[in-house]
Amino acid sequence: MALSASGRPLTGPEVRTANGALRGTVESGVAVFRGIPYAAPPVGSRRFAAPQPAARWDGVRPATAYGPPPPQTDVLTEGATDDGAADDDWLTVNVWSPEPDPAARRPVMVWIYGGGYVVGASSRPEYDGGRLAHDGGVVVVTFNYRLGAEGFAHIEGAPANRGLLDQVAALEWVRDSITAFGGDPDRVTVFGESAGAGCVAALLAMPRAAGLFRRAVVQSMPGTYFSPPLATDIAAACAGELGLRPTVDDLAAVDPALFVLAGDTVAGSVADLPDRVARWGRPALRSIVFAPVVDGDVLPTTPWQALAAGTSRDVDLLAGHTRDEHRLFGLMSGLLGQVTPEQAQAALQDFAPAPDGDRRYRAAYPDAGPDALYELVHSDWLFRMPTLRLAEDHVAGGGRAHLYELTWTAPGMGGMLGACHGLDVPLVLGNLTSGQPALLIGDGPPAGAIELSARMRAAWTAFAAAGEPGWPAYEPAGRSTQVFDTLSVVTTYPEERSRVIWQDESFLALPLQGATPAPARSVLPGNP
């Protein structure tokens, strides 16, 4: 009989992986295993290094508590708990399985959380995979990866994109271990929202990730990928807050919490420093200081360029966004409903495609006031057009893509947020009353939310199982798009006016601009 550390008999489902045996729990008819190491703790000599193999263990390891979240801003990690796990064991996975039997061979869905590449943890209640696993008959996997400076700062002597390398290691763990949990390693789907979607798109372009998943879901992908000069300049600013250089030699002994604070200081001050706005451009205006770096090695090129060239053409893609992506950020900044004509004009000048994007927006949306124009251009630059273009480039490169838009108005807060950024997360995962989603969904939840969530979960799991979410694939001629709302329909892409404005824009790695005159000031705090 297997015994716990206290000598009590262990109960619950047991599986055996290459590293050792695990004992989980059963919750609502689903076997759950939490806090499983997929890589060694990235501390000490492994600080700022690529992920290393996790240690093996003897006996049966309890897998009942989440691993701790990676270092990040404390104020934004409410709901992420370590449940007593070792403080530095950040790189862990969690598994929900309807049938932890190697013969089951069920589709596998691997969730990558968002949070602007600076916050997030798989232990957040809205990321619980139980409902999706139970109702969809799939094995759900979530995991932690390094964030902020630990995962994405461009540091001399360290591999670039360590957060992405963590994700590759987690997918390698899925490939090698998921059969024991009843999953099929040949039917793996990666899916993520916001920065998580940006990571999924990056994985599609990464040679190291090739063959590790069969399908990909990109939900509200941010268009921010940094060039090495830009990333190096930002890393130097972060290290400079500590009086150090952006090198492994200087930073290896720095407390991760101090490095987090340095990044927060830079992010919070860029809007007030004209030189940094002039050098960093749009990321500074949005207070974005960390993102995947197109370094030529880990990430050889941008996702759009890679997919247009046929990279990952064998991977099925499901991509989409919400209608009112930016409204949540407007609420957070206090500008929702308060945008002045001057602020709207500055936003159009800063973020619309050159040379005359402001004129084209006003011509395409003649009835839009300052608030609507401000929201439209931010939504399009940050999420809507990057996501649409990824689907279009995948099709152009010989791949297959399905497109959607969520237009259902969130009932929380009197409906003022519309179909805002992040609304798709509770609907897809089915967690309508846990954590932050409760703010969007409201009390109840209402019957409309329950029904829409069921439809979206059915589409996502059908796509994971066979590559068919239930509506036609996207083609340049018809632009078939599934619109999710109280009454869902398939129609031509709804945001055609914005698509035309952006159709000739090249989505490239964001450059270091040098000491150029500062653009018009349309600063809005907040990250994707």
Side-chain angles (χ1 to χ4, degrees):
M1 176 182 297
L3 301 178
S4 69
S6 63
R8 295 179 180 177
L10 289 171
T11 59
E14 183 177 323
V15 300
R16 182 165 294 278
T17 70
N19 282 10
L22 295 162
R23 177 82 63 171
T25 61
V26 175
E27 301 172 13
S28 301
V30 174
V32 185
F33 303 82
R34 294 184 172 92
I36 309 165
Y38 70 84
V43 297
S45 63
R46 295 184 292 269
R47 180 88 179 274
F48 301 124
Q52 302 299 306
R56 297 174 181 269
W57 60 84
D58 296 325
V60 180
R61 178 186 177 117
T64 58
Y66 288 111
Q72 57 192 276
T73 304
D74 292 340
V75 72
L76 297 178
T77 57
E78 182 181 356
T81 174
D82 63 15
D83 291 327
D87 289 343
D88 59 2
D89 207 2
W90 308 328
L91 304 183
T92 58
V93 300
N94 319 291
V95 181
W96 289 260
S97 175
E99 187 180 5
D101 180 343
R105 308 287 286 191
R106 293 175 180 266
V108 181
M109 300 186 69
V110 182
W111 171 254
I112 303 178
Y113 55 73
Y117 305 105
V118 295
V119 297
S122 61
S123 51
R124 295 190 68 88
E126 56 263 41
Y127 303 149
D128 186 285
R131 177 63 63 87
L132 196 63
H134 180 274
D135 294 355
V138 297
V139 176
V140 177
V141 178
T142 68
F143 64 92
N144 290 340
Y145 60 96
R146 280 175 283 183
L147 298 164
E150 297 291 329
F152 293 97
H154 206 51
I155 298 172
E156 182 181 335
N161 299 304
R162 296 169 299 281
L164 297 179
L165 293 175
D166 291 346
Q167 295 167 23
V168 171
L171 289 169
E172 289 172 340
W173 181 92
V174 169
R175 177 196 62 197
D176 298 337
S177 303
I178 206 63
T179 300
F181 298 85
D184 184 348
D186 295 323
R187 283 195 296 169
V188 173
T189 297
V190 290
F191 68 130
E193 186 267 347
S194 195
C199 292
V200 172
L203 291 168
L204 286 165
M206 290 171 56
R208 288 170 172 82
L212 293 177
F213 53 93
R214 178 66 184 83
R215 299 182 177 96
V217 182
V218 170
Q219 302 172 211
S220 300
M221 166 194 177
T224 48
Y225 296 84
F226 289 173
S227 65
L230 175 62
T232 298
D233 207 56
I234 293 175
C238 295
E241 290 293 327
L242 302 172
L244 301 172
R245 300 168 302 161
T247 67
V248 170
D249 289 343
D250 272 24
L251 297 171
V254 172
D255 185 330
L258 291 179
F259 211 179
V260 168
L261 291 175
D264 289 349
T265 299
V266 171
S269 67
V270 288
D272 299 320
L273 298 175
D275 176 65
R276 287 181 180 172
V277 172
R279 292 173 66 78
W280 302 347
R282 288 165 166 173
L285 293 171
R286 292 290 317 198
S287 297
I288 299 170
V289 296
F290 296 112
V293 182
V294 182
D295 67 307
D297 178 20
V298 175
L299 184 57
T301 187
T302 68
W304 305 282
Q305 292 168 307
L307 267 58
T311 301
S312 294
R313 64 165 59 93
D314 295 332
V315 177
D316 298 326
L317 176 65
L318 172 61
H321 54 73
T322 70
R323 180 189 59 208
D324 309 308
E325 288 281 5
H326 196 262
R327 199 164 296 178
L328 177 64
F329 299 104
L331 176 68
M332 293 167 61
S333 69
L335 284 178
L336 186 61
Q338 306 296 320
V339 177
T340 67
E342 293 77 17
Q343 288 171 320
Q345 180 61 27
L348 290 171
Q349 291 176 350
D350 287 335
F351 293 98
D356 61 344
D358 57 337
R359 180 197 62 78
R360 285 184 283 164
Y361 263 97
R362 292 186 185 279
Y365 298 95
D367 298 326
D371 287 292
L373 288 169
Y374 190 93
E375 181 179 316
L376 279 165
V377 71
H378 279 290
S379 293
D380 286 343
W381 174 76
L382 194 51
F383 297 114
R384 300 201 309 181
M385 295 305 105
T387 303
L388 170 66
R389 183 65 61 81
L390 190 77
E392 291 183 333
D393 285 343
H394 191 51
V395 173
R400 193 163 187 264
H402 291 80
L403 190 69
Y404 74 90
E405 182 179 45
L406 175 62
T407 61
W408 181 73
T409 295
M413 303 186 68
M416 67 186 299
L417 292 178
C420 67
H421 186 70
L423 179 60
D424 50 324
V425 174
L427 295 172
V428 167
L429 290 170
N431 302 314
L432 304 180
T433 60
S434 301
Q436 293 180 351
L439 178 68
L440 302 178
I441 303 298
D443 296 332
I450 296 172
E451 195 276 333
L452 180 58
S453 176
R455 271 188 279 139
M456 293 186 74
R457 282 184 282 116
W460 264 239
T461 54
F463 178 76
E468 293 289 347
W471 64 89
Y474 185 87
E475 297 290 347
R479 300 192 183 92
S480 292
T481 305
Q482 174 69 62
V483 175
F484 285 105
D485 209 323
T486 302
L487 296 176
S488 298
V489 297
V490 178
T491 185
T492 302
Y493 180 60
E495 312 305 334
E496 179 66 9
R497 288 178 287 180
S498 289
R499 187 197 69 80
V500 171
I501 292 171
W502 287 83
Q503 63 183 347
D504 296 324
E505 180 77 357
S506 296
F507 286 81
L508 304 173
L510 297 171
L512 177 67
Q513 299 180 163
T516 58
R521 298 294 297 279
S522 59
V523 176
L524 177 66
N527 285 307

